[in-house]
Amino acid sequence: MAKILCVLYPDPVTGYPPVYARDSIPSITGYPGGQTVPDPDALGFTPGQLLGCVSGELGLREYLEAAGHELVVTSDKDGPDSEFEKHLPDAEVVISQPFWPAYLSAERIAKAPELKLALTAGIGSDHVDLDAAIKAGITVAEVTYSNSISVAEHAVMQILALVRNYLPSHQWVVDGGWNIADCVERAYDLEGFDVGIIAAGRIGQAVLRRLAPFDVNLHYFDTRRLPEEVEKELNLTYHPDVQSLVSSVDVVDIHAPLHPQTYHLFDANLINSMRRGSYIVNTARAEITVRDDIVDALRTGQLAGYAGDVWFPQPPAPDHPWRTMPHEAMTPHVSGSTLSAQARYAAGTREILEDYFASQPIRDEYLIVAGGALAGTGAASYTADGKASPGAE
Ligand code: NDP
């Protein structure tokens, strides 16, 4: 019998379950590139349900308890007196989500001698100290591709929201106004803009494909160049480094993983090398930017807008300056947790647990760390050099 410690975001303040806006969600069977969606033996939920919060339990309780395991679900994740730290010493499996991350630092891993599997219900395991996990022989897995398209759609939405000045215009309506000049004094068409994507992986490529019909000039930088036919098809301009890209575009959209090469990449120096009035959308990780340099650039007008859904830490303090900085269109970390995405990452979490408890191999594409080394997707996306996951601290 194993103890599974699952950290999920709190229930809606209006109560659980919610009144659902729709009765079903579309059935998606595969991802671009051919990977199939999660395929567990059974589902303990109806797709479209709210699963990522405490009462949603990722639909796992019945399955785990029927197999004799103990499931503890909590949102109380920070500090030495948290429920998370209370249950950590005898937990064999920890499940967490990037939206409400239970930071598995080296110190916490040292307090978890029974821990064998750290599972991310979603994508992005930088809240786990991967070097410490490697040393402790812990397997780290995530549900690769489960919410990549969800994030891509959110990024496109936030680019449009900034460039067209959507949220301030909406606010005039809510406030009873009809202030057209106030709305449009910062509104532009996206058409004709130079838009640059940093990292053309699963999410970045999905954004490129979604933006191509807007008749923008698409640019990208990635450590690995895309095949020539893709560059031609989408009419992409490749840049050999970040500096070249950011000085050539009006909008920068970030989709790189957080690792030592991207940590605090967007500092005052880089931002000041951008065109005046550029926009940044960042749904990758907040720590890719320097928090206060973003605020300063918005105040001076060097940046015309900043949006994204990733913060550090999460949740951010009530006085986090990104809540009140000018020309922002931030959301909480929600892009990858739509009801559509939840159905996929909850099913993927169950698939990984089924394989783990049956001592079957976990799909290679879900693995980040296994057998004391980076593995699968982790071997491609992370580096083990003592600073594999700066966000974990
Ligand atoms: P992928 O692994 O598919 O793509 C990442 C790409 O980044 C790869 O092509 C990789 O190239 C490239 N890359 C790595 N290092 C750099 C660098 N220094 N500069 C430029 N490019 C680089 O990841 P996804 O597209 O699935 O996700 C990207 C990130 O988005 C995740 O790491 C995660 O942090 C974030 N994310 C956010 C979510 C949210 O809810 N907001 C949800 C899901 C993910 P190579 O293959 O050569 O290493």
Side-chain angles (χ1 to χ4, degrees):
M1 184 187 124
K3 179 189 255 191
I4 293 101
L5 175 55
C6 184
V7 177
L8 299 175
Y9 45 78
D11 284 355
V13 291
T14 46
Y16 186 95
V19 177
Y20 292 101
R22 296 182 53 79
D23 300 327
S24 64
I25 59 171
S27 166
I28 309 287
T29 53
Y31 304 119
Q35 187 186 317
T36 52
V37 295
D39 186 25
D41 291 342
L43 286 183
F45 59 86
T46 305
Q49 284 179 340
L50 177 57
L51 303 164
C53 64
V54 171
S55 292
E57 300 183 323
L58 297 172
L60 291 172
R61 184 168 297 280
E62 213 179 300
Y63 151 66
L64 288 172
E65 289 185 347
H69 302 302
E70 180 190 355
L71 174 66
V72 175
V73 184
T74 181
S75 61
D76 183 17
K77 67 186 182 69
D78 294 320
D81 299 326
S82 61
E83 282 293 297
F84 181 65
E85 289 228 359
K86 193 173 110 195
H87 289 282
L88 197 54
D90 58 346
E92 181 173 328
V93 178
V94 164
I95 303 173
S96 180
Q97 301 184 98
F99 326 107
W100 188 260
Y103 293 106
L104 260 181
S105 58
E107 197 188 9
R108 278 178 158 177
I109 286 176
K111 289 183 191 161
E114 305 300 322
L115 186 58
K116 298 204 172 48
L117 176 64
L119 209 170
T120 302
I123 303 175
S125 296
D126 43 86
H127 58 281
V128 180
D129 186 316
L130 297 182
D131 295 298
I134 287 169
K135 285 192 194 107
I138 295 166
T139 296
V140 181
E142 61 187 45
V143 192
T144 306
Y145 237 136
S146 57
N147 55 18
S148 307
I149 302 302
S150 324
V151 178
E153 288 188 4
H154 196 90
V156 172
M157 172 185 79
Q158 290 193 316
I159 291 171
L160 287 166
L162 287 179
V163 172
R164 302 198 59 97
N165 206 31
Y166 172 49
L167 292 178
S169 305
H170 175 69
Q171 195 59 45
W172 279 112
V173 174
V174 173
D175 294 344
W178 191 257
N179 299 45
I180 295 179
D182 293 289
C183 296
V184 299
E185 67 177 12
R186 295 181 66 88
Y188 299 89
D189 292 346
L190 190 60
E191 184 183 23
F193 266 34
D194 290 296
V195 180
I197 308 289
I198 296 186
R202 295 176 191 84
I203 301 173
Q205 276 192 62
V207 171
L208 287 167
R209 291 194 174 281
R210 279 153 183 75
L211 285 179
F214 280 87
D215 289 333
V216 291
N217 307 310
L218 287 174
H219 303 243
Y220 81 102
F221 162 67
D222 193 296
T223 43
R224 195 191 324 225
R225 202 161 168 171
L226 290 170
E228 208 181 324
E229 61 268 22
V230 177
E231 289 190 354
K232 276 205 182 116
E233 181 196 347
L234 299 174
N235 198 17
L236 305 179
T237 302
Y238 175 73
H239 292 263
D241 52 52
V242 171
Q243 285 73 17
S244 161
L245 177 108
V246 301
S247 59
S248 310
V249 299
D250 308 293
V251 179
V252 169
D253 179 40
I254 306 171
H255 297 293
L258 175 66
H259 56 55
Q261 291 76 45
T262 56
Y263 181 75
H264 283 183
L265 178 64
F266 277 81
D267 59 6
N269 268 343
L270 189 69
I271 295 168
N272 287 333
S273 72
M274 299 171 77
R275 293 176 181 167
R276 191 190 81 83
S278 291
Y279 304 86
I280 296 178
V281 170
N282 176 14
T283 53
R285 286 294 178 262
E287 293 283 83
I288 294 174
T289 68
V290 176
R291 186 191 75 173
D292 293 341
D293 291 356
I294 295 289
V295 179
D296 290 346
L298 287 166
R299 291 213 172 107
T300 62
Q302 175 58 17
L303 286 180
Y306 183 92
D309 71 329
V310 284
W311 305 66
F312 188 80
Q314 291 190 167
D319 63 351
H320 191 294
W322 285 9
R323 292 183 188 270
T324 49
M325 63 190 179
H327 314 305
E328 55 79 23
M330 296 294 298
T331 61
H333 196 162
V334 293
S335 68
S337 198
T338 54
L339 296 178
S340 326
Q342 288 176 45
R344 291 188 294 272
Y345 69 66
T349 300
R350 169 124 179 207
E351 181 188 320
I352 291 168
L353 288 172
E354 285 176 2
D355 286 338
Y356 171 77
F357 285 121
S359 299
Q360 301 283 344
I362 293 169
R363 279 202 220 192
D364 212 38
E365 60 249 35
Y366 293 161
L367 289 176
I368 303 300
V369 168
L374 291 173
T377 293
S381 301
Y382 294 90
T383 44
D385 57 0
K387 288 187 288 178
S389 42
E393 298 302 325

